[in-house]
Amino acid sequence: MSDALADGRQFRCFNIVDDLTRECPAIEVAHSLPALRIIHVLDRLALTRGLPKSIVCDNGREFAGHALDLWFTCITDAQQAVERWQMEYNEVRPHSSLGRRTPAEFAMDLKRSHNSPQRLTA
């Protein structure tokens, strides 16, 4: 995902979504997202969630139709707005594909049944 600050400078978001639970465990926001920064995000997730069996990259327009309607004055504003969206996505908004549960609720139910997510999409 990408957008622009009020001054016209572009920024990008690297979004990680668990295909099974629909959770969004990480979003990285920066003016530039080189491979080493992406690796850092994946390493951080590996420590907190473990490694998936596979990673699928989607280079499409991830948020077409749900674009941010905000103008950001700095990258910190963008990061904070994206973090608020991430919390809402994971903990507030139910998904019909998850039985009208939020991704966090679905993931908790999955953990209780001793199954673990197997695939992340980046």
Side-chain angles (χ1 to χ4, degrees):
M1 176 181 136
S2 65
D3 207 333
L5 303 175
D7 64 8
R9 290 182 298 152
Q10 296 289 312
F11 69 90
R12 303 224 2 111
C13 298
F14 174 64
N15 306 298
I16 301 285
V17 176
D18 184 310
D19 280 347
L20 180 61
T21 67
R22 308 276 178 151
E23 281 182 294
C24 178
I27 300 176
E28 189 74 8
V29 178
H31 291 291
S32 175
L33 292 169
L36 289 177
R37 188 156 187 171
I38 300 304
I39 290 168
H40 174 73
V41 172
L42 295 173
D43 285 344
R44 195 173 62 228
L45 277 175
L47 291 174
T48 59
R49 296 178 66 98
L51 293 171
K53 287 186 178 180
S54 65
I55 295 176
V56 177
C57 293
D58 177 3
N59 293 327
R61 301 189 57 82
E62 298 88 351
F63 288 98
H66 188 65
L68 296 173
D69 293 325
L70 304 172
W71 281 100
F72 305 108
T73 58
C74 66
I75 200 70
T76 304
D77 289 346
Q79 179 68 44
Q80 291 171 350
V82 169
E83 286 172 356
R84 286 190 301 273
W85 176 88
Q86 179 183 15
M87 190 280 304
E88 179 183 336
Y89 179 90
N90 285 332
E91 299 176 19
V92 176
R93 190 174 65 120
H95 293 253
S96 60
S97 64
L98 301 177
R100 302 301 304 159
R101 291 176 287 180
T102 67
E105 292 167 334
F106 184 80
M108 185 60 68
D109 291 346
L110 212 69
K111 288 174 188 168
R112 286 188 192 124
S113 67
H114 301 290
N115 291 328
S116 61
Q118 300 297 316
R119 184 175 160 190
L120 294 177
T121 300

